[in-house]
Amino acid sequence: MKKVLTVAGSDSGGGAGIQADLKTFAALRVYGTSVITALTAQNTLGVHGVHPVPAEFVARQLDAVLSDMDIEAAKTGMLVNADIIEVVARKVKDYGLKQLVVDPVMVATTGGSLLAEKAEAALKKELLPLALLITPNLPEAEVLTGRKIKTEKDMRECARILHDMGVSFVLIKGGHLEEEAEEAVDILYDGANYYRFTKPKLKINATHGSGCTLSAALTALLAQGLPVEEAVARAKEFVFQSIKGAFPVGKGVLPVNPLAML
Ligand SMILES: Nc1ncnc2c1ncn2[C@@H]1O[C@H](COP(=O)(O)OP(=O)(O)OP(=O)(O)O)[C@@H](O)[C@H]1O
Ligand SMILES: Cc1ncc(COP(=O)(O)O)c(N)n1
């Protein structure tokens, strides 16, 4: 069984972060390890508190996993602050992790900041050049590029700008493109070609954890040797089924259900 790693925050409500990632890894039959960057006191209604892990203890967790196990692919989610970003970037280089998926998590679906504003520069400078694949949603792509995104043409333009920052593959998620849209469109750019991935937009308020689940699925599928374009198609289908298979949990935004297909 392939071994993978998530570097992310804990969601006490079980819908996003580490919890979504480990469910996704198990559903896709890879062995999941986890380096926790922060505890969040969170539920389906919002983020009620963030307790960051000291950067040196993030380093210790990374050493524990990476010095012992042969990790085929890793993802990052909530990284909290610039100190943690720097530690993660250093360890990715030290251990020669090649298949790194960066989900540049900034704000929770329910609101609530998950990354210090000052850390955006560190994310761009330290981590993006090490990423095989980056998976921003539209607000994250806007922050990283300084552009507004209103159309698919804007998505393609931002993907090109992010590729120029040193990322091999850029996947811009269009879940937030138009409230009333019939399709959820994502755009992948590899420096030469654009690929368009589309699924019907499900009319249910069940997107808590959808971004985490997508990047975790991509990590699992890359670890299993799929080429990036095929991994994106499979991961998008996985998220679609996870949204479709959501069930009531709490009083707010429904969490996706990565176990829906089991
Ligand atoms: N209503 C929907 N129906 C089908 N697919 C969707 C829907 N909303 C989002 N998606 C898909 O889910 C994935 C995550 O997209 P989204 O743009 O919501 O990312 P995100 O904002 O990072 O997610 P999160 O809600 O976890 O923050 C993408 O592949 C997107 O196309
Ligand atoms: C610990 C953690 N990591 C990531 C997210 C983003 O997920 P979402 O945008 O679906 O709330 C989150 N809410 N909590």
Side-chain angles (χ1 to χ4, degrees):
M1 190 179 273
K2 301 294 185 193
K3 284 151 297 261
V4 297
L5 166 67
T6 171
V7 182
S10 161
D11 171 3
S12 54
I18 291 282
Q19 288 78 2
D21 293 345
L22 291 177
K23 279 185 254 183
T24 301
F25 291 159
L28 290 169
R29 302 192 181 284
V30 292
Y31 181 87
T33 64
S34 54
V35 165
I36 300 186
T37 57
L39 304 180
T40 68
Q42 187 174 173
N43 56 22
T44 59
L45 297 167
V47 179
H48 306 288
V50 174
H51 188 65
V53 171
E56 55 277 19
F57 201 79
V58 172
R60 234 198 268 186
Q61 295 176 72
L62 285 163
D63 283 333
V65 173
L66 296 171
S67 66
D68 185 32
M69 296 167 207
D70 199 4
I71 297 295
E72 300 277 347
K75 67 155 273 190
T76 63
M78 174 186 183
L79 292 177
V80 198
N81 58 42
D83 289 349
I84 294 179
I85 291 172
E86 274 157 31
V87 159
V88 173
R90 193 170 76 236
K91 297 296 175 188
V92 166
K93 281 190 262 185
D94 287 354
Y95 288 96
L97 275 180
K98 293 281 174 286
Q99 302 206 83
L100 179 70
V101 178
V102 173
D103 183 4
V105 171
M106 292 177 185
V107 178
T109 305
T110 48
S113 169
L114 302 175
L115 182 75
E117 241 174 70
K118 282 187 292 190
E120 286 157 16
L123 188 67
K124 277 206 261 193
K125 183 163 166 274
E126 311 283 344
L127 206 56
L128 291 202
L130 304 176
L132 171 68
L133 172 63
I134 178 181
T135 62
N137 64 19
L138 298 186
E140 290 156 357
E142 288 184 339
V143 168
L144 291 171
T145 60
R147 300 285 186 105
K148 279 271 160 228
I149 305 178
K150 296 250 178 297
T151 62
E152 279 188 49
K153 186 165 171 279
D154 299 336
M155 285 169 76
R156 284 193 287 274
E157 177 64 10
C158 283
R160 197 188 50 73
I161 295 171
L162 287 167
H163 183 269
D164 288 349
M165 290 181 193
V167 189
S168 306
F169 292 84
V170 179
L171 178 68
I172 303 204
K173 299 172 291 191
H176 301 256
L177 193 59
E178 268 179 67
E179 212 42 54
E180 299 308 318
E182 292 300 315
E183 291 184 317
V185 178
D186 301 344
I187 301 284
L188 176 70
Y189 181 59
D190 64 4
N193 297 300
Y194 294 97
Y195 304 87
R196 189 173 184 271
F197 299 87
T198 166
K199 294 290 290 177
K201 192 157 184 180
L202 294 160
K203 306 285 181 226
I204 43 173
N205 189 19
T207 54
H208 179 48
S210 60
C212 305
T213 299
L214 182 78
S215 55
L218 286 165
T219 306
L221 296 164
L222 290 171
Q224 288 166 336
L226 264 69
V228 175
E229 196 190 330
E230 212 177 311
V232 172
R234 288 264 310 270
K236 189 164 168 70
E237 174 66 29
F238 185 87
V239 172
F240 181 78
Q241 296 298 340
S242 303
I243 296 174
K244 218 168 148 187
F247 53 87
V249 177
K251 303 176 186 70
V253 181
L254 295 190
V256 300
N257 176 16
L259 307 176
M261 277 184 293
L262 293 186

